[in-house]
Amino acid sequence: MDEIWFRLSNQLETLQVYTSIAAQQGQQWYIAWLTHLRQLIEQICQREPAQHVKNITMGMTNSAQKAWQEVQFQYNNAQWNTIEFYRQLRQLYSNKMSRREIAFCVTGIAIGAAIGYCIGANWRSNSHHVHHIKAIACHHYYGIEGVLMIEDAEMPTIKKSNELLIQVKAASLSVTDTKICFGYSKIYRRLLNSGKQKELPVTLGRDCSGIIVDIGRGVVNFEIGDEVLLAVPSWASGTMAEYIVAPETQVARRPKTCSFETSASLPYNGCLAWDALVNRSVIKEGNAKGKRVFIYGASTPIGCTLIQLVKLWGGYVVAACRTNAASVIKALGADEIIIIGESDIDKELQLCDKFDAIFFTDNQPFQERILKRYLLPHGSYVSTVPEQLMSDSFGFIFGSIFAGYVRIKLLVQYMFGLNMHQWKEGSKLNVAYLRTLCDLTDANQLQMVVDRVYAPYNIERALLHVLDPNSIGSTIITFQ
């Protein structure tokens, strides 16, 4: 016991020495600062009108210096006699306090500190969540019945210097959103997101248009008040809320010739259409001359965009759609139309020359092998329907292996400065594509087709309309 008291005494003496040294260094720095300040004031205040200000300032510095000297005097006189302090503490321990009493005292201090920490942490978290917003979220993975509008969603805040806070005016629903309601991309969502965005509820919406209401300190390309649009991948938190936060690298200015509702239909489906045409088919950007293209499901948002791009670049388009969409598809520029449900697609295609590119965009199943028969030897077949993700069906063992693979890949991407946004269809949502599509829209060379606009409380009807084979173009939710 004596050895323990001796060690504690030495440690406290050492700490006292370091404290004294630090105080002396602080005093030297403070005196040097006062001297420099006094010299600076004397240089500035050379003229007579400033003499009064000089006197006041010099008086303040002298008072500060006297206060410091008083503090130092009190500190030097208040230094403890370490040996005497521990001698008295030891006598108190041996005479008046039992080990049981000391144990109770230490336990009480620990419990009180833990309770105080918990209260402080909860107090801070509650104070951050004062503002609430409306959002449309999926609460389980059993279908669209689990999608509801909630009015107490947490208001997002800017956390990084390159982020924008956007007031959403309109957002579009896609087939991907309906698949999310059944668990689509849930494993990627858990691995690639952080915080509450990992699990349910999941905010729907893959794209939106709106107005910037706040910006991070590092934002250089946008200002408050800019009208913008953006798209997010299936695993990211959705856009169907009154306010969202997004990095400026994913955002583009919306077309000036379109409304917020029309602009909201462009980002996600437009980028997927551009990627399918330019990166996954034999057609080159800006040049489809001499190419024959067949689009099955031409009335979908992606199909409507594909028709216009191929025609703009000089290609020949044969489109398959349902009867109610035929007039719209013809107006968009299709050269030939085959009616789905009224014609035998196989027999109709036998009457046509083979195609350089075939695009399958329909939400209803169809035998792809039939379409591939009518593809030229060096042609390309592209499906824009959301692919089935094997990771969504992994069990614990394979899920753990897959999670390890994803985390290693994320680490490699981080080391090489790559963007995590590039996972799955995120690589297709290139903001450069989006800017080009916006320019074509402003030049009246590309039109967005909006079928229905719903209020947030009609979300179930909106989702059913997305799944309706007879829907034409985009389905929009407006927050205006």
Side-chain angles (χ1 to χ4, degrees), residues 1-17 81-87:
M1 183 61 69
D2 292 337
E3 184 179 355
I4 294 175
W5 289 116
F6 179 74
R7 289 180 180 177
L8 288 174
S9 176
N10 289 338
Q11 291 176 0
L12 189 57
E13 287 179 346
T14 303
L15 179 61
Q16 185 178 356
V17 171
N81 187 327
T82 307
I83 302 299
E84 180 64 22
F85 169 75
Y86 273 107
R87 187 186 65 77

Side-chain angles (χ1 to χ4, degrees), residues 67 114 142 161 164 178 193 206 246 261 278 339 349 377 379 386 429 439 471:
Y142 301 113
S161 61
L164 309 170
T178 64
N193 290 329
R206 298 302 99 200
E261 291 84 1
V278 174
I339 304 299
L349 291 178
L429 306 180
D439 291 340
S471 63

Side-chain angles (χ1 to χ4, degrees), residues 10-68:
N10 289 338
Q11 291 176 0
L12 189 57
E13 287 179 346
T14 303
L15 179 61
Q16 185 178 356
V17 171
Y18 287 152
T19 305
S20 299
I21 294 173
Q24 292 174 3
Q25 292 177 348
Q27 179 188 10
Q28 294 174 0
W29 175 85
Y30 181 74
I31 293 174
W33 178 79
L34 284 177
T35 303
H36 179 72
L37 179 61
R38 183 177 297 176
Q39 293 174 354
L40 181 62
I41 294 173
E42 290 177 349
Q43 293 175 2
I44 294 175
C45 302
Q46 295 296 332
R47 298 183 179 180
E48 188 66 25
Q51 187 65 34
H52 184 63
V53 177
K54 174 183 176 182
N55 293 336
I56 294 176
T57 309
M58 296 297 293
M60 293 174 60
T61 56
N62 290 332
S63 298
Q65 187 170 8
K66 290 179 180 178
W68 173 261

Side-chain angles (χ1 to χ4, degrees), residues 323-334:
T323 304
N324 66 312
S327 59
V328 175
I329 300 306
K330 190 69 176 178
L332 292 177

Side-chain angles (χ1 to χ4, degrees), residues 346-450:
D346 196 3
K347 292 182 178 180
E348 291 288 341
L349 291 178
Q350 290 176 7
L351 303 176
C352 302
D353 294 334
K354 291 189 175 183
F355 299 96
D356 297 280
I358 295 177
F359 297 92
F360 183 83
T361 70
D362 198 60
N363 302 331
Q364 306 301 315
F366 189 80
Q367 295 182 1
E368 295 183 356
R369 59 180 181 82
I370 295 178
L371 299 179
K372 291 180 179 179
R373 293 177 191 166
Y374 303 99
L375 196 64
L376 289 171
H378 300 289
S380 54
Y381 178 89
V382 180
S383 173
T384 63
V385 178
E387 60 180 334
Q388 186 69 31
L389 299 178
M390 293 182 59
S391 59
D392 289 338
S393 59
F394 283 160
F396 176 78
I397 297 178
F398 287 104
S400 300
I401 297 173
F402 180 74
Y405 159 75
V406 170
R407 290 190 174 95
I408 292 174
K409 191 171 181 180
L410 283 174
L411 178 60
V412 173
Q413 287 185 342
Y414 177 79
M415 293 172 61
F416 287 92
L418 300 179
N419 189 354
M420 188 186 72
H421 186 74
Q422 301 299 313
W423 283 82
K424 305 311 292 180
E425 86 272 31
S427 61
K428 306 171 185 178
L429 306 180
N430 191 319
V431 73
Y433 305 162
L434 187 53
R435 294 194 189 103
T436 302
L437 293 168
C438 290
D439 291 340
L440 292 176
T441 303
D442 277 333
N444 294 320
Q445 295 177 324
L446 182 65
Q447 295 181 354
M448 296 298 102
V449 180
V450 176

Side-chain angles (χ1 to χ4, degrees), residues 59-321:
M60 293 174 60
T61 56
N62 290 332
S63 298
Q65 187 170 8
K66 290 179 180 178
W68 173 261
Q69 292 174 353
E70 180 66 20
V71 170
Q72 185 186 19
F73 175 78
Q74 295 293 339
Y75 170 77
N76 292 331
N77 290 337
Q79 290 181 348
W80 290 349
N81 187 327
T82 307
I83 302 299
E84 180 64 22
F85 169 75
Y86 273 107
R87 187 186 65 77
Q88 295 179 4
L89 184 63
R90 179 183 177 187
Q91 183 178 0
L92 180 66
Y93 168 75
S94 60
N95 296 337
K96 298 182 180 180
M97 295 182 64
S98 65
R99 293 185 178 180
R100 181 180 180 183
E101 291 172 335
I102 293 178
F104 276 117
C105 179
V106 173
T107 304
I109 294 174
I111 294 175
I115 294 175
Y117 174 80
C118 293
I119 294 175
N122 292 332
W123 185 278
R124 289 195 300 271
S125 62
N126 290 335
S127 63
H128 287 169
H129 302 160
V130 175
H131 302 290
H132 295 93
I133 61 173
K134 295 179 182 178
I136 295 175
C138 172
H139 293 264
H140 61 65
Y141 291 137
Y142 301 113
I144 62 176
E145 297 81 7
V147 179
L148 298 171
M149 184 192 77
I150 54 179
E151 298 187 4
D152 59 348
E154 181 179 337
M155 176 75 176
T157 57
I158 292 176
K159 297 179 180 178
K160 298 180 180 179
S161 61
N162 69 331
E163 289 182 334
L164 309 170
L165 178 62
I166 300 172
Q167 181 185 15
V168 176
K169 294 295 185 179
S172 73
L173 280 170
S174 68
V175 176
T176 303
D177 290 306
T178 64
K179 290 183 175 294
I180 288 174
C181 297
F182 291 90
Y184 181 76
S185 200
K186 61 183 179 182
I187 300 300
Y188 282 106
R189 189 171 302 111
R190 192 176 303 156
L191 295 173
L192 300 179
N193 290 329
S194 60
K196 296 181 180 180
Q197 298 177 1
K198 288 176 172 287
E199 304 293 344
L200 294 167
V202 179
T203 304
L204 298 183
R206 298 302 99 200
D207 52 8
C208 71
S209 61
I211 301 174
I212 297 176
V213 295
D214 195 11
I215 60 176
R217 291 175 298 176
V219 174
V220 295
N221 296 317
F222 296 95
E223 296 179 354
I224 295 175
D226 287 348
E227 298 178 355
V228 295
L229 41 67
L230 72 149
V232 296
S234 59
W235 49 264
S237 181
T239 60
M240 209 156 286
E242 288 184 304
Y243 292 89
I244 63 169
V245 169
E248 67 169 330
T249 53
Q250 293 178 224
V251 178
R253 288 177 174 81
R254 77 177 186 89
K256 299 178 181 178
T257 57
C258 297
S259 64
F260 283 107
E261 291 84 1
T262 305
S263 299
S265 66
L266 175 61
Y268 187 74
N269 293 303
C271 286
L272 293 184
W274 183 279
D275 174 79
L277 194 59
V278 174
N279 297 331
R280 302 168 63 192
S281 78
V282 296
I283 296 176
K284 303 299 181 182
E285 179 180 346
N287 184 10
K289 291 182 179 180
K291 303 293 185 181
R292 288 176 52 83
V293 176
F294 177 62
I295 302 173
Y296 186 96
S299 61
T300 64
I302 295 178
C304 292
T305 304
L306 285 173
I307 292 172
Q308 296 177 79
L309 290 177
V310 173
K311 291 301 298 179
L312 178 64
W313 296 345
Y316 187 90
V317 177
V318 178
C321 64

